[in-house]
Every structure is written in structure tokens, then in C-alpha cells.
């Protein structure tokens, strides 16, 4: 071989004969076909399949106890795949206080495509029943909701949906499978923005859909993934699988710190109301207790004041970062309505905090001085 050929092929002559404790990153975009040609099931292009993505999807389906999983490049891409697996003219029911990104997805992209949607209060089962029609194919649950912490009864809503020929998709980003298992409660699909707690360090973008059954419905989602092409990179899949190894222990810390801060805020004179399902005063506390094993690391609260005062409080933090998103080991907070923009129903005096893994006393001190 000449120098140019050696430079290309030399690395391929060495293989590791011992199993890796940590899986390697497979960055190759193509795979060599058998000399007799391509066979059904052969890998040949990384948009369709990649070893790191297959490993990551295995982690996801094991954690959520489903039969199949599809990884995406973002949480909204995952949500889009669920909706695009429906047909124009189909009707969905979705929470009125759903995550702002998914509200925009439905209103700006999916409705013009032909989807029908009702954004409603989904804490009332009868209200959901009243909005079901012959075209209703999907009921979307987000519990706790973002950022108002509405608690929806997954089991009861799933029963209602199935009685009417619809399926249920639960956005489980906030609780994670450590705190809530929607598929075991009757849901058909679980969705995640894996950017958040699965990633856990504010440095990876991703999304996922996990299905209770690997059926025709899931294969439509898989088709959107592979043909639509919104897939995560091998490096992102590797990092997400790596980060998930610590997820159970991280969530224990998030749960514990959030409960401590929620109880502090509940008794603070500057705070008008605290939204946290672990508090007995929360309207959905009893249902949350039934379907959650932990109450998560997110808190929203109303300050006794207006939007400007809420923004000023966030601006006075010294330890808690001023940022959107959530689920990192570092604590962050924001004036949520400013982030949500058009269509927001969030009160103007609401602050949302993602409670990290710092020592709780340090967080309490920062809250105290910011609220002063």
C-alpha cells in the first residue's frame, strides 16, 4: 500500500479482543456491506441506526419498562414524531398549561398540517370526557405540568382514552422513571426531553419516545425518526447513556433538596403560593402520592408582587443561576412568563426553580437574601 492508502486503512487493522467496560463511541456514518450485497436488517447508514443509539434506546426502554424506544435530537423533535404519526384531521386533547414549546409545536406547525387540538384543564376527568369526539386519537398528559404543577390521573385518563379508542402519551420529563412509571399506569407512550434529567449536566440536547408495545403505532414513530432525520449524534447517545448511570442517585438528591426548599418557601412572607406536589396543601397531592414515588426537583411559586418584582428577585441570586431549562446538577431559576412568550397562561408573578444538587443550606441562604 502507498502512503495515501496506509493513512486511510491502517487504523482498521487493530481490534480490541477484550470486552469494553465502557462502550466506545461509534462515529462512523456508514457500515461495510457483505460482499454479496445488502441483506434485510443490515446496518448501512447512521441516520437509520448506530451502535450508540441502539445502546441508548435499550437504556430508555429498560428504564421505562417498555418494549421499544426511539431517540431524537431534542424533546420537541420527539413530540413532533408522536404527533406526525397521527393523520391530518385527527383530534388530540392536551393540557391548557402544557410546556410552552409543545404548545407552539401544536399551534404553529401541527394545526396548519391538519391536526385538531383542544387545550383544556385535564385535572377534571369529566372535562376530558366532554371534549372527546369521534376524531380523538390521542390524549396528551403532562404531570406535573410545566410550570403550574397540575396533577393528572394517568390511570383514570388512560382508561377513559382506551374506552374511546384513543391512546395516551405522557411527558415524563419532570418526574423521570425514578419518580413515575406511566406505562405501568396504563399509558401507551412516554416522552422525554432527555436534555433535562437524563442528561443531568446542562450539556446535551436530546429527546425520546418509549412505547409500551412495539406495534404499528410505534413503527410510525420510528419511520418519522429515520426518514425525518432528527436523530441524536453518536456522541450525544454515548453521553446520555453515561449520564443515566447516576440518574437514580441524582434524583434522590433533587427530590430531597426540592422538598426542603418548597417547605421554606411555603412559610416565607414574600411568597404567596408554592406549587409542589409533595406538599399536602397542593391540590393534586393525593393523586401524586398514588402515582409518584418521589416528587421531583422542580418548584414554582408566586411572589407577593408583580412581574417586575419577580424579575428583580431572580436577578438578585448569587448562587442560583438565572437560566431557562432544567434538570442540571446546578440550580437555576427564571421568571417563567418571560421565557414562554406568546400564548402563556402563566401568572406574571411566578418564578420557576430547578433545584440542583448543591448543599440545601447554601440554596436556602441564597433564596433568603434574594427574597429579602
Amino acid at each position: 500500500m502507498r502512503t495515501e492508502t496506509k493513512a486511510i486503512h491502517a487504523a482498521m487493522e487493530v481490534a480490541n479482543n477484550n470486552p469494553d467496560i465502557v462502550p466506545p463511541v461509534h462515529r462512523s456514518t456508514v457500515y461495510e456491506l457483505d460482499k454479496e450485497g445488502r441483506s434485510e436488517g443490515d446496518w448501512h447508514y447512521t441516520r437509520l441506526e448506530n451502535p450508540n443509539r441502539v445502546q441508548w434506546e435499550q437504556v430508555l426502554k429498560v428504564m421505562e419498562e417498555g418494549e421499544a424506544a426511539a431517540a431524537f435530537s431534542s424533546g420537541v423533535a420527539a413530540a413532533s414524531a408522536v404527533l406526525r404519526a397521527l393523520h391530518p384531521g385527527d383530534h388530540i386533547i392536551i393540557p391548557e398549561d402544557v410546556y410552552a414549546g409543545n404548545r407552539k409545536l401544536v399551534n404553529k406547525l401541527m394545526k396548519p398540517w391538519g391536526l385538531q387540538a383542544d387545550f383544556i384543564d385535564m385535572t377534571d376527568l369529566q372535562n376530558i370526557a366532554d371534549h372527546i369526539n369521534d376524531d380523538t386519537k390521542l390524549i396528551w398528559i403532562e404531570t406535573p405540568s410545566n410550570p403550574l404543577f397540575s396533577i393528572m390521573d394517568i390511570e383514570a385518563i388512560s382508561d377513559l382514552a382506551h374506552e374511546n379508542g384513543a391512546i395516551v402519551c405522557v411527558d415524563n420529563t419532570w418526574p423521570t422513571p425514578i419518580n413515575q412509571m406511566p406505562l405501568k399506569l396504563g399509558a401507551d407512550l412516554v416522552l422525554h426531553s432527555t436534555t433535562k434529567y437524563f442528561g443531568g449536566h446542562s450539556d446535551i440536547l436530546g429527546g425520546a419516545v418509549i412505547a409500551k408495545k412495539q406495534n404499528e403505532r410505534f413503527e410510525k414513530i420510528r419511520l418519522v425518526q429515520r426518514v425525518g432525520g432528527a436523530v441524536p449524534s453518536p456522541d450525544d447517545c454515548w453521553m446520555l447513556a453515561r449520564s443515566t448511570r447516576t440518574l437514580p442517585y441524582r434524583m434522590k438528591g433533587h427530590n430531597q433538596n426540592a422538598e426542603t426548599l418548597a417547605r421554606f418557601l411555603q412559610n416565607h412572607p414574600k411568597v404567596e403560593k408554592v406549587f409542589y406536589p409533595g406538599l399536602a396543601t397542593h391540590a393534586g397531592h393525593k393523586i401524586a402520592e398514588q402515582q409518584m414515588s418521589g416528587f421531583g426537583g422542580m418548584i414554582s411559586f408566586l411572589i407577593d408582587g408583580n412581574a417586575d418584582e419577580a424579575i428583580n428577585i431572580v436577578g438578585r441570586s448569587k448562587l442560583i443561576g438565572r437560566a431557562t431549562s432544567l434538570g442540571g446538577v446546578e440550580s437555576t431559576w427564571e421568571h417563567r412568563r418571560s421565557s414562554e412568550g406568546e400564548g402563556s397562561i402563566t401568572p406574571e408573578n411566578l418564578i420557576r426553580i430547578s433545584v440542583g444538587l448543591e448543599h440545601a443550606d447554601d440554596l436556602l441562604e441564597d433564596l433568603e437574601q434574594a427574597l429579602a
Side-chain angles (χ1 to χ4, degrees):
M1 290 192 290
R2 277 69 175 177
T3 300
E4 295 85 351
T5 308
K6 289 178 182 178
I8 293 170
H9 289 273
M12 311 212 184
E13 297 171 359
V14 179
N16 181 11
N17 294 323
N18 297 99
D20 296 294
I21 295 296
V22 176
V25 179
H26 295 265
R27 293 194 179 91
S28 180
T29 56
V30 292
Y31 307 95
E32 188 170 16
L33 300 177
D34 189 89
K35 61 183 179 181
E36 296 179 358
R38 185 183 174 199
S39 300
E40 185 68 28
D42 284 352
W43 295 4
H44 75 292
Y45 188 50
T46 195
R47 171 167 52 81
L48 305 176
E49 247 168 348
N50 169 277
N52 294 110
R53 194 163 88 226
V54 171
Q55 288 169 347
W56 170 224
E57 289 172 347
Q58 170 70 10
V59 172
L60 286 163
K61 69 182 184 181
V62 167
M63 294 298 291
E64 285 286 4
E65 297 189 17
E67 286 188 2
F72 292 86
S73 55
S74 71
V76 172
S80 177
V82 173
L83 299 177
R84 288 166 67 190
L86 301 172
H87 296 97
D90 285 349
H91 173 252
I92 69 167
I93 294 173
I94 191 165
E96 62 184 351
D97 55 338
V98 73
Y99 162 59
N102 287 336
R103 182 187 295 114
K104 286 183 181 178
L105 170 65
V106 171
N107 285 331
K108 301 291 188 182
L109 296 182
M110 299 311 302
K111 281 186 176 180
W113 171 79
L115 191 73
Q116 302 178 67
D118 281 326
F119 291 84
I120 68 168
D121 175 6
M122 288 183 53
T123 62
D124 182 347
L125 196 64
Q126 185 58 51
N127 191 41
I128 300 172
D130 290 343
H131 283 83
I132 293 175
N133 62 48
D134 292 341
D135 295 321
T136 304
K137 298 295 186 289
L138 172 71
I139 298 180
W140 189 282
I141 297 175
E142 182 182 278
T143 182
S145 67
N146 178 6
L148 295 177
F149 283 85
S150 297
I151 300 297
M152 298 152 213
D153 190 328
I154 297 172
E155 188 169 16
I157 295 172
S158 296
D159 288 344
L160 177 64
H162 297 153
E163 288 168 7
N164 288 275
I167 65 168
V168 169
C169 177
V170 177
D171 187 336
N172 206 34
T173 298
W174 275 20
T176 80
I178 307 306
N179 289 328
Q180 185 169 269
M181 299 291 287
L183 299 182
K184 296 177 76 172
L185 293 166
D188 303 281
L189 301 171
V190 167
L191 179 134
H192 284 278
S193 170
T194 54
T195 307
K196 312 303 194 292
Y197 286 107
F198 271 108
H201 296 79
S202 305
D203 57 5
I204 316 168
L205 187 68
V209 179
I210 303 95
K212 180 183 290 187
K213 299 293 181 183
Q214 188 166 355
N215 52 19
E216 182 180 355
R217 183 187 309 114
F218 174 77
E219 291 308 323
K220 289 181 181 179
I221 294 169
R222 176 72 81 194
L223 181 68
V224 175
Q225 177 205 38
R226 291 174 171 170
V227 177
V231 294
S233 71
D235 294 78
D236 286 347
C237 291
W238 185 92
M239 289 180 70
L240 284 162
R242 184 276 313 270
S243 293
T244 303
R245 294 181 184 186
T246 62
L247 178 64
Y249 290 94
R250 284 189 283 110
M251 289 312 300
K252 289 178 184 178
H254 288 298
N255 291 347
Q256 182 177 335
N257 275 359
E259 183 172 351
T260 299
L261 266 61
R263 296 192 185 285
F264 166 81
L265 290 166
Q266 189 178 37
N267 296 311
H268 197 284
K270 186 66 177 174
V271 175
E272 186 178 287
K273 185 175 182 179
V274 179
F275 301 91
Y276 186 70
L279 297 175
T281 53
H282 190 284
H285 176 68
K286 288 186 178 179
I287 294 174
E289 269 194 321
Q290 293 168 8
Q291 65 187 24
M292 301 180 76
S293 56
F295 298 109
M298 299 298 299
I299 304 169
S300 289
F301 61 98
L302 303 179
I303 62 115
D304 183 13
N306 58 25
D308 288 339
E309 289 175 277
I311 292 169
N312 288 337
I313 287 169
V314 171
R316 288 199 291 268
S317 63
K318 296 179 179 178
L319 175 63
I320 302 169
R322 295 176 292 276
T324 194
S325 198
L326 57 105
V329 295
E330 67 290 326
S331 295
T332 57
W333 63 353
E334 64 176 341
H335 176 247
R336 183 61 187 166
R337 189 159 183 170
S338 298
S339 296
E340 291 184 334
E342 181 184 352
S344 173
I345 65 168
T346 298
E348 66 169 14
N349 59 334
L350 183 141
I351 295 172
R352 191 192 74 177
I353 178 169
S354 171
V355 183
L357 301 181
E358 300 93 344
H359 195 288
D361 289 347
D362 292 327
L363 295 173
L364 291 172
E365 288 175 10
D366 199 29
L367 282 178
E368 186 67 78
Q369 66 84 23
L371 287 163

